[in-house]
């Protein structure tokens, strides 16, 4: 039975299909900012492992402060070199914030933001983005599907309200799990509920 399931999984993947995950608003913190928000020497406590290897949802949350309001924001660990906030367009409208559509890590000229924690405040002039839809894939699977790193493809989200997203970025990395990531606005537009499949269109 396990062999059959594995064969079916490989057949589905070979057809360019993959799981689509919805990424709600969250923040990645540098260790410096972890300590600014939670106290000297503090380290994040993992609550749950995420689909991408080595990444986790932290037990802690922080408050994101915008001109029009505040929202609690989940923290994804481990700590990174730079702090960044990932939002949807709807989050930006609710909070009165500006954030460009970018890939994670492309922070130059991105939006300003303020975070509040139990021990302090972090105010940064850039780091707020709306994460661009993207696909994580290992080099061997990318080779099988004829995909290259940074390639732009379309992604069909297969639901009762199926939509096709354009300009979705392929991110090839050995330390990744084969998944597509979209934000909550994109997921709501497609009517995503629970496990969702997508299909890569070149």
């Amino acid at each position: 039975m396990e062999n059959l399931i594995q064969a079916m999984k490989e057949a589905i993947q070979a057809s360019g299909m993959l799981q689509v995950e919805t990424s709600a608003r969250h923040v990645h913190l540098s260790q410096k900012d972890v300590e600014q928000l939670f106290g000297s020497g503090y380290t994040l406590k993992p609550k749950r492992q995420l689909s991408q290897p080595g990444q986790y949802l932290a037990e802690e949350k922080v408050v994101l402060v915008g001109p029009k309001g505040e929202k609690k924001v989940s923290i994804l660990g481990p700590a990174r070199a730079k702090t960044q906030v990932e939002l949807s367009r709807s989050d930006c409208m609710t909070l009165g914030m500006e954030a460009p559509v970018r890939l994670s890590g492309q922070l130059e000229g991105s939006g300003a933001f303020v975070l509040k924690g139990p021990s302090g405040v972090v105010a940064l002039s850039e780091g707020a983005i709306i994460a661009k839809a993207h696909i994580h894939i290992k080099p061997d699977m990318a080779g099988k599907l004829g995909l290259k790193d940074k390639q732009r493809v379309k992604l069909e989200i297969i639901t009762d309200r199926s939509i096709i997203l354009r300009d979705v970025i392929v991110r090839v990395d050995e330390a990744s799990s084969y998944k597509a990531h979209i934000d909550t606005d994109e997921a709501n537009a497609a009517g995503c509920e629970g496990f969702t499949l997508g299909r890569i269109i070149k």
Side-chain angles (χ1 to χ4, degrees):
M1 188 63 178
E2 289 183 3
N3 290 340
L4 177 60
I5 292 173
Q6 183 62 30
M8 290 178 65
K9 182 179 177 182
E10 290 176 358
I12 289 171
Q13 291 179 341
S15 68
M17 299 185 75
L18 74 171
Q19 185 179 356
V20 179
E21 295 182 327
T22 302
S23 183
R25 63 178 176 272
H26 62 270
V27 60
H28 300 275
L29 297 174
S30 67
Q31 182 56 36
K32 174 186 173 185
D33 290 338
V34 168
E35 297 190 31
Q36 176 65 26
L37 293 164
F38 294 96
S40 179
Y42 194 91
T43 56
L44 296 173
K45 297 180 176 64
K47 178 179 181 181
R48 173 170 59 84
Q49 295 298 311
L50 302 177
S51 63
Q52 295 305 308
Q55 297 192 25
Y56 61 83
L57 173 68
E59 290 184 359
E60 301 84 354
K61 291 181 184 286
V62 289
V63 177
L64 176 62
V65 183
K68 294 170 61 176
E70 300 181 352
K71 281 187 179 293
K72 278 192 174 180
V73 182
S74 296
I75 303 171
L76 304 190
R80 290 187 173 186
K82 289 187 175 181
T83 292
Q84 72 176 50
V85 175
E86 297 185 30
L87 303 167
S88 68
R89 182 71 70 192
S90 294
D91 292 327
C92 291
M93 293 174 67
T94 301
L95 293 168
M97 294 177 58
E98 298 288 337
V101 178
R102 297 276 181 83
L103 283 176
S104 177
Q106 295 181 347
L107 305 181
E108 186 176 348
S110 56
F113 62 95
V114 176
L115 296 173
K116 290 196 304 187
S119 298
V121 173
V122 169
L124 296 177
S125 61
E126 62 182 20
I129 63 169
I130 297 170
K132 196 172 185 59
H134 57 277
I135 294 165
H136 293 283
I137 188 169
K138 288 180 179 290
D140 59 344
M141 179 58 71
K144 290 177 183 176
L145 297 178
L147 297 171
K148 296 179 180 178
D149 190 38
K150 299 182 177 62
Q151 183 174 344
R152 297 171 187 269
V153 297
K154 298 173 187 172
L155 175 68
E156 179 183 13
I157 302 174
I158 303 169
T159 65
D160 291 342
R161 298 180 64 195
S162 181
I163 64 171
I164 295 176
L165 298 176
R166 300 173 184 273
D167 202 26
V168 177
I169 306 299
V170 176
R171 305 186 69 172
V172 180
D173 190 334
E174 186 62 47
S176 67
S177 177
Y178 183 41
K179 312 276 185 184
H181 284 171
I182 61 176
D183 71 16
T184 49
D185 283 350
E186 294 162 332
N188 289 337
C192 293
E193 291 183 336
F195 182 88
T196 301
L197 273 178
R199 182 171 66 93
I200 298 170
I201 304 171
K202 291 189 284 185

